[in-house]
Amino acid sequence: MSEPLNIAVVGGGPGGYAAAFLAADLGMSVTLIDPEVNPGGVCLYRGCIPSKALLHVAKLIEESEQAKNWGIEFAAPKIDLARLRSWKEGVVKKLTGGLGILSKQRKVTYIQGRAGFENSTTLQVIKADGSTQSLAFDRIILATGSRPAIVPALKLDTPRMMDSTGALNLEDIPGTLLVVGGGYIGLELGSVYAALGTRVTVVEMLPGLLPGADRDLVLPLHKRLEKMFEGILLNTTVAAVKDEGSGIRATLKVQDGNAQEKVFDRVLVSVGRKPNSEISGLDKTQVKVGAKGFIEVNKQLQTADPSIYAIGDVVGEPMLAHKAMHEGRTAVEAIAGHKVAFEPNAIPAVVFTDPEIAWCGLTETQAQNENREIKVAKFPWAASGRAVTLDRPEGMTKLLIDPRTERVLGVGIVGVGAGEMIAEGVLAIEMAALAHDVAHTIHPHPTLSETVMESAEVFFGTSTDIYRPKRG
Ligand SMILES: Cc1cc2nc3c(=O)[nH]c(=O)nc-3n(C[C@H](O)[C@H](O)[C@H](O)COP(=O)(O)OP(=O)(O)OC[C@H]3O[C@@H](n4cnc5c(N)ncnc54)[C@H](O)[C@@H]3O)c2cc1C
């Protein structure tokens, strides 16, 4: 019997641990290297998981407010910040600890440390205790992830200036918070602080929140956030910030040239993320890094250096955990000699605000930009029994359909629970479903998932829950 392949995975985020665990399951000898005590990466320690734990709390607070409309009044919430923090940290610990156990069960060698290259197949690992070790491998998978982008004009050495990691630490509940950037991270974390009682102002340099998402999906969220936030300033940039001791004075510049100054207790800068491709010794390999800092890979996730693969945020957009995990699987299967390629038809995107926004496959904006002929079938949630029972009728589900083949090309949803529902859209697109497949799939009643089926019926003019004239 030949020796098992000896592989190293650098970075223990969702891409890295998924790759390491699958490689072990396929019989490879695996070493996983990450600075944290357990695998988890950004997603578990300072991204997806802590943010969703806090958003759950935010939703509860908001819902208890809304309950007034239903004849139930709760007293104003008393927030024990230390306990809230420790609950959130407990969630993170439970999940990362679980990954530590799974890693041991699979006999993955986990090294707490940082890796750099000596050459294409040899890593130098600086361990957490300061010692260094040279280790040789048959293949190396880079899963080093990303970090918050920094704007030089907004760099101040004060804890009042935060990135997403600082905001998740929840040091206090500031009276006022300026969120720089109207992307999903800024809106999610802004929603958490607003629910806890902070007066939040969001500044976005583009004309709309969540650039990249279709405008009709963003509209219901924008309307709700207008009530939750003190201000949403579009076409506006933060030109300068100044530490005044008792607060941060920010100069907010509108596109028409007007500027105003405002003082905030804290500022969250959430203007995007940068790939961690500045890996020590990478220049001693043949790996190529593109103009935006992403490591270049082919459809098997192999870099220009045949023994090195790369996955996750460090290889490009969309920088999302589920994309990283699937790339990890593909890279390992490719190393194992399987005939595989990473070429999904749909990668879902979810904004976990309230309401949530989720989409997959083709967007309307993309179709317009590419001059593609599509038919859009929309089902308003005001006609959904389930949405009305939840007192959340502002949602909408839409299907983007090829008018010639009637194939579902894209799905967009805004409304509570959209993030759970979008998986049906991904499955429809991956299975090349036609609109009638979706329309003829019996959905349980009363659920929000029915709105996906109803959208397909809208396409045919056969939805009995709303009135739309027939096609043609
Ligand atoms: C606030 C926030 C919320 C988010 N919410 C979501 C969400 O809801 N859903 C979603 O899909 N995505 C979300 N993301 C994005 C998600 O976290 C990332 O897409 C995902 O973590 C990328 O996984 P990865 O495996 O590529 O790398 P990462 O998770 O970034 O992990 C990389 C790991 O590699 C380590 N590393 C770096 N260099 C080295 C080295 N030289 N040696 C050893 N280790 C190294 C890093 O320390 C890190 O632990 C969120 C991100 C943030 C910041």
Side-chain angles (χ1 to χ4, degrees), residues 344-379:
N345 290 311
I347 300 175
V350 181
V351 185
F352 290 87
T353 41
D354 184 21
E356 292 179 352
I357 297 181
W359 67 93
C360 65
L362 190 68
T363 64
E364 268 191 80
T365 318
Q366 216 181 325
Q368 273 158 15
N369 292 344
E370 293 170 10
N371 246 335
R372 280 179 78 164
E373 197 196 337
I374 50 157
K375 275 265 187 303
V376 182
K378 295 185 186 182
F379 187 81

PDB file of all heavy atoms in Angstrom, residues 344-379:
ATOM      1  N   PRO A 344     -20.515  26.530  -9.585  1.00  0.00           N
ATOM      2  CA  PRO A 344     -21.914  26.556  -9.156  1.00  0.00           C
ATOM      3  C   PRO A 344     -22.760  27.452 -10.068  1.00  0.00           C
ATOM      4  O   PRO A 344     -22.247  28.419 -10.630  1.00  0.00           O
ATOM      5  CB  PRO A 344     -21.841  27.160  -7.756  1.00  0.00           C
ATOM      6  CG  PRO A 344     -20.589  27.976  -7.766  1.00  0.00           C
ATOM      7  CD  PRO A 344     -19.633  27.303  -8.702  1.00  0.00           C
ATOM      8  N   ASN A 345     -24.033  27.098 -10.206  1.00  0.00           N
ATOM      9  CA  ASN A 345     -24.960  27.968 -10.947  1.00  0.00           C
ATOM     10  C   ASN A 345     -25.526  29.045 -10.039  1.00  0.00           C
ATOM     11  O   ASN A 345     -26.037  30.048 -10.508  1.00  0.00           O
ATOM     12  CB  ASN A 345     -26.105  27.139 -11.515  1.00  0.00           C
ATOM     13  CG  ASN A 345     -25.627  26.238 -12.627  1.00  0.00           C
ATOM     14  OD1 ASN A 345     -24.941  26.696 -13.545  1.00  0.00           O
ATOM     15  ND2 ASN A 345     -25.927  24.959 -12.539  1.00  0.00           N
ATOM     16  N   ALA A 346     -25.471  28.806  -8.739  1.00  0.00           N
ATOM     17  CA  ALA A 346     -26.030  29.784  -7.803  1.00  0.00           C
ATOM     18  C   ALA A 346     -25.305  29.686  -6.466  1.00  0.00           C
ATOM     19  O   ALA A 346     -25.175  28.602  -5.908  1.00  0.00           O
ATOM     20  CB  ALA A 346     -27.523  29.511  -7.600  1.00  0.00           C
ATOM     21  N   ILE A 347     -24.829  30.833  -5.989  1.00  0.00           N
ATOM     22  CA  ILE A 347     -24.293  30.911  -4.623  1.00  0.00           C
ATOM     23  C   ILE A 347     -25.218  31.882  -3.881  1.00  0.00           C
ATOM     24  O   ILE A 347     -25.315  33.052  -4.266  1.00  0.00           O
ATOM     25  CB  ILE A 347     -22.850  31.452  -4.600  1.00  0.00           C
ATOM     26  CG1 ILE A 347     -21.921  30.523  -5.412  1.00  0.00           C
ATOM     27  CG2 ILE A 347     -22.341  31.594  -3.164  1.00  0.00           C
ATOM     28  CD1 ILE A 347     -20.503  31.045  -5.553  1.00  0.00           C
ATOM     29  N   PRO A 348     -25.928  31.419  -2.863  1.00  0.00           N
ATOM     30  CA  PRO A 348     -26.864  32.335  -2.209  1.00  0.00           C
ATOM     31  C   PRO A 348     -26.154  33.437  -1.434  1.00  0.00           C
ATOM     32  O   PRO A 348     -25.063  33.223  -0.893  1.00  0.00           O
ATOM     33  CB  PRO A 348     -27.645  31.421  -1.255  1.00  0.00           C
ATOM     34  CG  PRO A 348     -26.747  30.246  -1.023  1.00  0.00           C
ATOM     35  CD  PRO A 348     -25.918  30.074  -2.265  1.00  0.00           C
ATOM     36  N   ALA A 349     -26.796  34.609  -1.401  1.00  0.00           N
ATOM     37  CA  ALA A 349     -26.321  35.719  -0.558  1.00  0.00           C
ATOM     38  C   ALA A 349     -27.460  36.062   0.392  1.00  0.00           C
ATOM     39  O   ALA A 349     -28.617  36.126  -0.036  1.00  0.00           O
ATOM     40  CB  ALA A 349     -25.989  36.925  -1.426  1.00  0.00           C
ATOM     41  N   VAL A 350     -27.148  36.236   1.655  1.00  0.00           N
ATOM     42  CA  VAL A 350     -28.186  36.567   2.636  1.00  0.00           C
ATOM     43  C   VAL A 350     -27.738  37.765   3.468  1.00  0.00           C
ATOM     44  O   VAL A 350     -26.605  37.817   3.936  1.00  0.00           O
ATOM     45  CB  VAL A 350     -28.474  35.372   3.582  1.00  0.00           C
ATOM     46  CG1 VAL A 350     -29.574  35.739   4.578  1.00  0.00           C
ATOM     47  CG2 VAL A 350     -28.864  34.127   2.803  1.00  0.00           C
ATOM     48  N   VAL A 351     -28.643  38.708   3.632  1.00  0.00           N
ATOM     49  CA  VAL A 351     -28.422  39.828   4.546  1.00  0.00           C
ATOM     50  C   VAL A 351     -29.344  39.558   5.736  1.00  0.00           C
ATOM     51  O   VAL A 351     -30.564  39.535   5.577  1.00  0.00           O
ATOM     52  CB  VAL A 351     -28.770  41.173   3.880  1.00  0.00           C
ATOM     53  CG1 VAL A 351     -28.429  42.331   4.797  1.00  0.00           C
ATOM     54  CG2 VAL A 351     -28.049  41.305   2.547  1.00  0.00           C
ATOM     55  N   PHE A 352     -28.750  39.336   6.920  1.00  0.00           N
ATOM     56  CA  PHE A 352     -29.544  38.877   8.069  1.00  0.00           C
ATOM     57  C   PHE A 352     -30.122  40.033   8.888  1.00  0.00           C
ATOM     58  O   PHE A 352     -30.072  40.024  10.107  1.00  0.00           O
ATOM     59  CB  PHE A 352     -28.704  37.958   8.960  1.00  0.00           C
ATOM     60  CG  PHE A 352     -28.418  36.620   8.332  1.00  0.00           C
ATOM     61  CD1 PHE A 352     -27.327  36.449   7.500  1.00  0.00           C
ATOM     62  CD2 PHE A 352     -29.250  35.528   8.561  1.00  0.00           C
ATOM     63  CE1 PHE A 352     -27.057  35.214   6.909  1.00  0.00           C
ATOM     64  CE2 PHE A 352     -28.996  34.294   7.970  1.00  0.00           C
ATOM     65  CZ  PHE A 352     -27.894  34.134   7.155  1.00  0.00           C
ATOM     66  N   THR A 353     -30.620  41.040   8.183  1.00  0.00           N
ATOM     67  CA  THR A 353     -31.279  42.153   8.858  1.00  0.00           C
ATOM     68  C   THR A 353     -32.736  41.762   9.104  1.00  0.00           C
ATOM     69  O   THR A 353     -33.127  40.635   8.853  1.00  0.00           O
ATOM     70  CB  THR A 353     -31.211  43.389   7.939  1.00  0.00           C
ATOM     71  OG1 THR A 353     -31.475  42.950   6.608  1.00  0.00           O
ATOM     72  CG2 THR A 353     -29.857  44.072   8.007  1.00  0.00           C
ATOM     73  N   ASP A 354     -33.540  42.704   9.547  1.00  0.00           N
ATOM     74  CA  ASP A 354     -34.963  42.432   9.718  1.00  0.00           C
ATOM     75  C   ASP A 354     -35.762  43.502   8.977  1.00  0.00           C
ATOM     76  O   ASP A 354     -35.787  44.639   9.427  1.00  0.00           O
ATOM     77  CB  ASP A 354     -35.322  42.439  11.204  1.00  0.00           C
ATOM     78  CG  ASP A 354     -36.781  42.055  11.416  1.00  0.00           C
ATOM     79  OD1 ASP A 354     -37.359  41.431  10.510  1.00  0.00           O
ATOM     80  OD2 ASP A 354     -37.331  42.396  12.478  1.00  0.00           O
ATOM     81  N   PRO A 355     -36.385  43.203   7.838  1.00  0.00           N
ATOM     82  CA  PRO A 355     -36.480  41.905   7.190  1.00  0.00           C
ATOM     83  C   PRO A 355     -35.156  41.448   6.573  1.00  0.00           C
ATOM     84  O   PRO A 355     -34.272  42.272   6.327  1.00  0.00           O
ATOM     85  CB  PRO A 355     -37.509  42.151   6.081  1.00  0.00           C
ATOM     86  CG  PRO A 355     -37.360  43.600   5.738  1.00  0.00           C
ATOM     87  CD  PRO A 355     -37.041  44.276   7.035  1.00  0.00           C
ATOM     88  N   GLU A 356     -35.053  40.141   6.363  1.00  0.00           N
ATOM     89  CA  GLU A 356     -33.874  39.608   5.692  1.00  0.00           C
ATOM     90  C   GLU A 356     -34.011  39.785   4.184  1.00  0.00           C
ATOM     91  O   GLU A 356     -35.121  39.876   3.663  1.00  0.00           O
ATOM     92  CB  GLU A 356     -33.732  38.110   6.002  1.00  0.00           C
ATOM     93  CG  GLU A 356     -33.398  37.846   7.459  1.00  0.00           C
ATOM     94  CD  GLU A 356     -33.284  36.368   7.805  1.00  0.00           C
ATOM     95  OE1 GLU A 356     -33.601  35.506   6.956  1.00  0.00           O
ATOM     96  OE2 GLU A 356     -32.881  36.073   8.938  1.00  0.00           O
ATOM     97  N   ILE A 357     -32.866  39.824   3.520  1.00  0.00           N
ATOM     98  CA  ILE A 357     -32.859  39.855   2.056  1.00  0.00           C
ATOM     99  C   ILE A 357     -32.005  38.679   1.602  1.00  0.00           C
ATOM    100  O   ILE A 357     -30.928  38.447   2.163  1.00  0.00           O
ATOM    101  CB  ILE A 357     -32.255  41.170   1.523  1.00  0.00           C
ATOM    102  CG1 ILE A 357     -33.115  42.362   1.951  1.00  0.00           C
ATOM    103  CG2 ILE A 357     -32.103  41.126   0.011  1.00  0.00           C
ATOM    104  CD1 ILE A 357     -32.606  43.691   1.452  1.00  0.00           C
ATOM    105  N   ALA A 358     -32.466  37.945   0.611  1.00  0.00           N
ATOM    106  CA  ALA A 358     -31.683  36.816   0.112  1.00  0.00           C
ATOM    107  C   ALA A 358     -31.900  36.690  -1.388  1.00  0.00           C
ATOM    108  O   ALA A 358     -33.000  36.954  -1.883  1.00  0.00           O
ATOM    109  CB  ALA A 358     -32.117  35.535   0.821  1.00  0.00           C
ATOM    110  N   TRP A 359     -30.853  36.331  -2.077  1.00  0.00           N
ATOM    111  CA  TRP A 359     -31.003  36.119  -3.514  1.00  0.00           C
ATOM    112  C   TRP A 359     -29.996  35.068  -3.987  1.00  0.00           C
ATOM    113  O   TRP A 359     -29.023  34.768  -3.286  1.00  0.00           O
ATOM    114  CB  TRP A 359     -30.843  37.429  -4.294  1.00  0.00           C
ATOM    115  CG  TRP A 359     -29.477  38.038  -4.278  1.00  0.00           C
ATOM    116  CD1 TRP A 359     -28.480  37.856  -5.188  1.00  0.00           C
ATOM    117  CD2 TRP A 359     -28.952  38.960  -3.288  1.00  0.00           C
ATOM    118  NE1 TRP A 359     -27.369  38.612  -4.839  1.00  0.00           N
ATOM    119  CE2 TRP A 359     -27.629  39.282  -3.686  1.00  0.00           C
ATOM    120  CE3 TRP A 359     -29.455  39.539  -2.126  1.00  0.00           C
ATOM    121  CZ2 TRP A 359     -26.814  40.154  -2.952  1.00  0.00           C
ATOM    122  CZ3 TRP A 359     -28.641  40.399  -1.391  1.00  0.00           C
ATOM    123  CH2 TRP A 359     -27.352  40.705  -1.804  1.00  0.00           C
ATOM    124  N   CYS A 360     -30.267  34.509  -5.173  1.00  0.00           N
ATOM    125  CA  CYS A 360     -29.321  33.557  -5.755  1.00  0.00           C
ATOM    126  C   CYS A 360     -29.514  33.538  -7.258  1.00  0.00           C
ATOM    127  O   CYS A 360     -30.565  33.929  -7.766  1.00  0.00           O
ATOM    128  CB  CYS A 360     -29.519  32.167  -5.170  1.00  0.00           C
ATOM    129  SG  CYS A 360     -31.103  31.428  -5.555  1.00  0.00           S
ATOM    130  N   GLY A 361     -28.471  33.098  -7.946  1.00  0.00           N
ATOM    131  CA  GLY A 361     -28.509  33.054  -9.409  1.00  0.00           C
ATOM    132  C   GLY A 361     -28.495  34.457  -9.992  1.00  0.00           C
ATOM    133  O   GLY A 361     -27.910  35.378  -9.419  1.00  0.00           O
ATOM    134  N   LEU A 362     -29.204  34.625 -11.110  1.00  0.00           N
ATOM    135  CA  LEU A 362     -29.221  35.908 -11.815  1.00  0.00           C
ATOM    136  C   LEU A 362     -30.002  36.958 -11.012  1.00  0.00           C
ATOM    137  O   LEU A 362     -31.026  36.641 -10.417  1.00  0.00           O
ATOM    138  CB  LEU A 362     -29.898  35.690 -13.178  1.00  0.00           C
ATOM    139  CG  LEU A 362     -29.835  36.827 -14.184  1.00  0.00           C
ATOM    140  CD1 LEU A 362     -28.410  37.038 -14.678  1.00  0.00           C
ATOM    141  CD2 LEU A 362     -30.753  36.516 -15.389  1.00  0.00           C
ATOM    142  N   THR A 363     -29.503  38.194 -10.999  1.00  0.00           N
ATOM    143  CA  THR A 363     -30.278  39.294 -10.402  1.00  0.00           C
ATOM    144  C   THR A 363     -30.845  40.144 -11.549  1.00  0.00           C
ATOM    145  O   THR A 363     -30.345  40.083 -12.678  1.00  0.00           O
ATOM    146  CB  THR A 363     -29.404  40.194  -9.501  1.00  0.00           C
ATOM    147  OG1 THR A 363     -28.418  40.829 -10.328  1.00  0.00           O
ATOM    148  CG2 THR A 363     -28.730  39.393  -8.403  1.00  0.00           C
ATOM    149  N   GLU A 364     -31.858  40.961 -11.222  1.00  0.00           N
ATOM    150  CA  GLU A 364     -32.438  41.821 -12.269  1.00  0.00           C
ATOM    151  C   GLU A 364     -31.409  42.831 -12.764  1.00  0.00           C
ATOM    152  O   GLU A 364     -31.338  43.135 -13.957  1.00  0.00           O
ATOM    153  CB  GLU A 364     -33.663  42.567 -11.722  1.00  0.00           C
ATOM    154  CG  GLU A 364     -34.938  41.835 -11.966  1.00  0.00           C
ATOM    155  CD  GLU A 364     -36.159  42.685 -11.659  1.00  0.00           C
ATOM    156  OE1 GLU A 364     -36.539  43.513 -12.503  1.00  0.00           O
ATOM    157  OE2 GLU A 364     -36.724  42.517 -10.557  1.00  0.00           O
ATOM    158  N   THR A 365     -30.624  43.354 -11.820  1.00  0.00           N
ATOM    159  CA  THR A 365     -29.603  44.342 -12.173  1.00  0.00           C
ATOM    160  C   THR A 365     -28.624  43.734 -13.171  1.00  0.00           C
ATOM    161  O   THR A 365     -28.291  44.344 -14.191  1.00  0.00           O
ATOM    162  CB  THR A 365     -28.844  44.774 -10.891  1.00  0.00           C
ATOM    163  OG1 THR A 365     -29.790  44.948  -9.852  1.00  0.00           O
ATOM    164  CG2 THR A 365     -28.013  46.009 -11.103  1.00  0.00           C
ATOM    165  N   GLN A 366     -28.198  42.490 -12.864  1.00  0.00           N
ATOM    166  CA  GLN A 366     -27.260  41.793 -13.748  1.00  0.00           C
ATOM    167  C   GLN A 366     -27.888  41.562 -15.118  1.00  0.00           C
ATOM    168  O   GLN A 366     -27.239  41.793 -16.144  1.00  0.00           O
ATOM    169  CB  GLN A 366     -26.985  40.440 -13.097  1.00  0.00           C
ATOM    170  CG  GLN A 366     -25.592  39.898 -13.240  1.00  0.00           C
ATOM    171  CD  GLN A 366     -25.542  38.527 -12.553  1.00  0.00           C
ATOM    172  OE1 GLN A 366     -26.197  38.301 -11.531  1.00  0.00           O
ATOM    173  NE2 GLN A 366     -24.816  37.608 -13.126  1.00  0.00           N
ATOM    174  N   ALA A 367     -29.154  41.140 -15.143  1.00  0.00           N
ATOM    175  CA  ALA A 367     -29.832  40.868 -16.413  1.00  0.00           C
ATOM    176  C   ALA A 367     -29.893  42.141 -17.259  1.00  0.00           C
ATOM    177  O   ALA A 367     -29.651  42.110 -18.470  1.00  0.00           O
ATOM    178  CB  ALA A 367     -31.234  40.322 -16.143  1.00  0.00           C
ATOM    179  N   GLN A 368     -30.196  43.275 -16.579  1.00  0.00           N
ATOM    180  CA  GLN A 368     -30.254  44.550 -17.312  1.00  0.00           C
ATOM    181  C   GLN A 368     -28.877  44.896 -17.870  1.00  0.00           C
ATOM    182  O   GLN A 368     -28.741  45.257 -19.038  1.00  0.00           O
ATOM    183  CB  GLN A 368     -30.705  45.673 -16.383  1.00  0.00           C
ATOM    184  CG  GLN A 368     -32.219  45.807 -16.291  1.00  0.00           C
ATOM    185  CD  GLN A 368     -32.661  46.512 -15.015  1.00  0.00           C
ATOM    186  OE1 GLN A 368     -31.851  47.139 -14.335  1.00  0.00           O
ATOM    187  NE2 GLN A 368     -33.934  46.382 -14.688  1.00  0.00           N
ATOM    188  N   ASN A 369     -27.847  44.762 -17.021  1.00  0.00           N
ATOM    189  CA  ASN A 369     -26.483  45.100 -17.464  1.00  0.00           C
ATOM    190  C   ASN A 369     -26.041  44.228 -18.628  1.00  0.00           C
ATOM    191  O   ASN A 369     -25.304  44.671 -19.502  1.00  0.00           O
ATOM    192  CB  ASN A 369     -25.479  44.949 -16.315  1.00  0.00           C
ATOM    193  CG  ASN A 369     -25.705  46.002 -15.244  1.00  0.00           C
ATOM    194  OD1 ASN A 369     -26.391  46.995 -15.486  1.00  0.00           O
ATOM    195  ND2 ASN A 369     -25.163  45.776 -14.059  1.00  0.00           N
ATOM    196  N   GLU A 370     -26.490  42.968 -18.620  1.00  0.00           N
ATOM    197  CA  GLU A 370     -26.069  42.038 -19.676  1.00  0.00           C
ATOM    198  C   GLU A 370     -27.064  42.008 -20.835  1.00  0.00           C
ATOM    199  O   GLU A 370     -26.919  41.195 -21.742  1.00  0.00           O
ATOM    200  CB  GLU A 370     -25.929  40.621 -19.088  1.00  0.00           C
ATOM    201  CG  GLU A 370     -24.792  40.504 -18.090  1.00  0.00           C
ATOM    202  CD  GLU A 370     -24.809  39.170 -17.327  1.00  0.00           C
ATOM    203  OE1 GLU A 370     -25.588  38.276 -17.701  1.00  0.00           O
ATOM    204  OE2 GLU A 370     -24.043  39.054 -16.357  1.00  0.00           O
ATOM    205  N   ASN A 371     -28.085  42.886 -20.766  1.00  0.00           N
ATOM    206  CA  ASN A 371     -29.104  42.939 -21.829  1.00  0.00           C
ATOM    207  C   ASN A 371     -29.791  41.605 -22.057  1.00  0.00           C
ATOM    208  O   ASN A 371     -30.059  41.210 -23.183  1.00  0.00           O
ATOM    209  CB  ASN A 371     -28.444  43.374 -23.135  1.00  0.00           C
ATOM    210  CG  ASN A 371     -28.975  44.713 -23.556  1.00  0.00           C
ATOM    211  OD1 ASN A 371     -30.106  45.069 -23.156  1.00  0.00           O
ATOM    212  ND2 ASN A 371     -28.182  45.449 -24.323  1.00  0.00           N
ATOM    213  N   ARG A 372     -30.041  40.882 -20.970  1.00  0.00           N
ATOM    214  CA  ARG A 372     -30.667  39.557 -21.101  1.00  0.00           C
ATOM    215  C   ARG A 372     -32.163  39.689 -20.973  1.00  0.00           C
ATOM    216  O   ARG A 372     -32.654  40.394 -20.088  1.00  0.00           O
ATOM    217  CB  ARG A 372     -30.158  38.626 -19.995  1.00  0.00           C
ATOM    218  CG  ARG A 372     -28.810  38.063 -20.309  1.00  0.00           C
ATOM    219  CD  ARG A 372     -28.347  37.181 -19.198  1.00  0.00           C
ATOM    220  NE  ARG A 372     -28.981  35.866 -19.244  1.00  0.00           N
ATOM    221  CZ  ARG A 372     -28.524  34.826 -18.570  1.00  0.00           C
ATOM    222  NH1 ARG A 372     -27.447  34.963 -17.816  1.00  0.00           N
ATOM    223  NH2 ARG A 372     -29.118  33.667 -18.621  1.00  0.00           N
ATOM    224  N   GLU A 373     -32.879  38.997 -21.842  1.00  0.00           N
ATOM    225  CA  GLU A 373     -34.336  39.055 -21.770  1.00  0.00           C
ATOM    226  C   GLU A 373     -34.806  38.084 -20.690  1.00  0.00           C
ATOM    227  O   GLU A 373     -34.480  36.895 -20.728  1.00  0.00           O
ATOM    228  CB  GLU A 373     -34.934  38.669 -23.130  1.00  0.00           C
ATOM    229  CG  GLU A 373     -36.374  39.101 -23.266  1.00  0.00           C
ATOM    230  CD  GLU A 373     -37.089  38.410 -24.419  1.00  0.00           C
ATOM    231  OE1 GLU A 373     -36.389  37.951 -25.341  1.00  0.00           O
ATOM    232  OE2 GLU A 373     -38.325  38.311 -24.354  1.00  0.00           O
ATOM    233  N   ILE A 374     -35.529  38.615 -19.708  1.00  0.00           N
ATOM    234  CA  ILE A 374     -36.073  37.755 -18.649  1.00  0.00           C
ATOM    235  C   ILE A 374     -37.502  38.199 -18.338  1.00  0.00           C
ATOM    236  O   ILE A 374     -37.897  39.314 -18.667  1.00  0.00           O
ATOM    237  CB  ILE A 374     -35.252  37.840 -17.335  1.00  0.00           C
ATOM    238  CG1 ILE A 374     -35.030  39.311 -16.926  1.00  0.00           C
ATOM    239  CG2 ILE A 374     -33.964  37.072 -17.407  1.00  0.00           C
ATOM    240  CD1 ILE A 374     -34.745  39.488 -15.461  1.00  0.00           C
ATOM    241  N   LYS A 375     -38.248  37.297 -17.721  1.00  0.00           N
ATOM    242  CA  LYS A 375     -39.563  37.672 -17.185  1.00  0.00           C
ATOM    243  C   LYS A 375     -39.442  37.601 -15.664  1.00  0.00           C
ATOM    244  O   LYS A 375     -38.855  36.648 -15.130  1.00  0.00           O
ATOM    245  CB  LYS A 375     -40.626  36.660 -17.639  1.00  0.00           C
ATOM    246  CG  LYS A 375     -41.212  36.951 -19.000  1.00  0.00           C
ATOM    247  CD  LYS A 375     -42.518  37.745 -18.822  1.00  0.00           C
ATOM    248  CE  LYS A 375     -43.300  37.967 -20.096  1.00  0.00           C
ATOM    249  NZ  LYS A 375     -42.682  38.617 -21.180  1.00  0.00           N
ATOM    250  N   VAL A 376     -39.967  38.625 -14.986  1.00  0.00           N
ATOM    251  CA  VAL A 376     -39.891  38.630 -13.531  1.00  0.00           C
ATOM    252  C   VAL A 376     -41.294  38.387 -12.977  1.00  0.00           C
ATOM    253  O   VAL A 376     -42.232  39.106 -13.323  1.00  0.00           O
ATOM    254  CB  VAL A 376     -39.340  39.978 -13.006  1.00  0.00           C
ATOM    255  CG1 VAL A 376     -39.213  39.953 -11.489  1.00  0.00           C
ATOM    256  CG2 VAL A 376     -37.993  40.285 -13.645  1.00  0.00           C
ATOM    257  N   ALA A 377     -41.444  37.354 -12.154  1.00  0.00           N
ATOM    258  CA  ALA A 377     -42.738  37.053 -11.539  1.00  0.00           C
ATOM    259  C   ALA A 377     -42.634  37.315 -10.045  1.00  0.00           C
ATOM    260  O   ALA A 377     -41.819  36.693  -9.356  1.00  0.00           O
ATOM    261  CB  ALA A 377     -43.107  35.595 -11.804  1.00  0.00           C
ATOM    262  N   LYS A 378     -43.445  38.270  -9.555  1.00  0.00           N
ATOM    263  CA  LYS A 378     -43.337  38.681  -8.146  1.00  0.00           C
ATOM    264  C   LYS A 378     -44.591  38.290  -7.381  1.00  0.00           C
ATOM    265  O   LYS A 378     -45.698  38.480  -7.876  1.00  0.00           O
ATOM    266  CB  LYS A 378     -43.201  40.196  -8.046  1.00  0.00           C
ATOM    267  CG  LYS A 378     -41.933  40.746  -8.636  1.00  0.00           C
ATOM    268  CD  LYS A 378     -41.845  42.245  -8.357  1.00  0.00           C
ATOM    269  CE  LYS A 378     -40.635  42.837  -9.081  1.00  0.00           C
ATOM    270  NZ  LYS A 378     -40.460  44.242  -8.817  1.00  0.00           N
ATOM    271  N   PHE A 379     -44.385  37.813  -6.167  1.00  0.00           N
ATOM    272  CA  PHE A 379     -45.532  37.546  -5.302  1.00  0.00           C
ATOM    273  C   PHE A 379     -45.406  38.409  -4.045  1.00  0.00           C
ATOM    274  O   PHE A 379     -44.467  38.234  -3.251  1.00  0.00           O
ATOM    275  CB  PHE A 379     -45.601  36.063  -4.920  1.00  0.00           C
ATOM    276  CG  PHE A 379     -46.864  35.720  -4.174  1.00  0.00           C
ATOM    277  CD1 PHE A 379     -48.059  35.505  -4.857  1.00  0.00           C
ATOM    278  CD2 PHE A 379     -46.878  35.653  -2.790  1.00  0.00           C
ATOM    279  CE1 PHE A 379     -49.234  35.220  -4.173  1.00  0.00           C
ATOM    280  CE2 PHE A 379     -48.051  35.355  -2.091  1.00  0.00           C
ATOM    281  CZ  PHE A 379     -49.236  35.140  -2.787  1.00  0.00           C
TER     282      PHE A 379
END
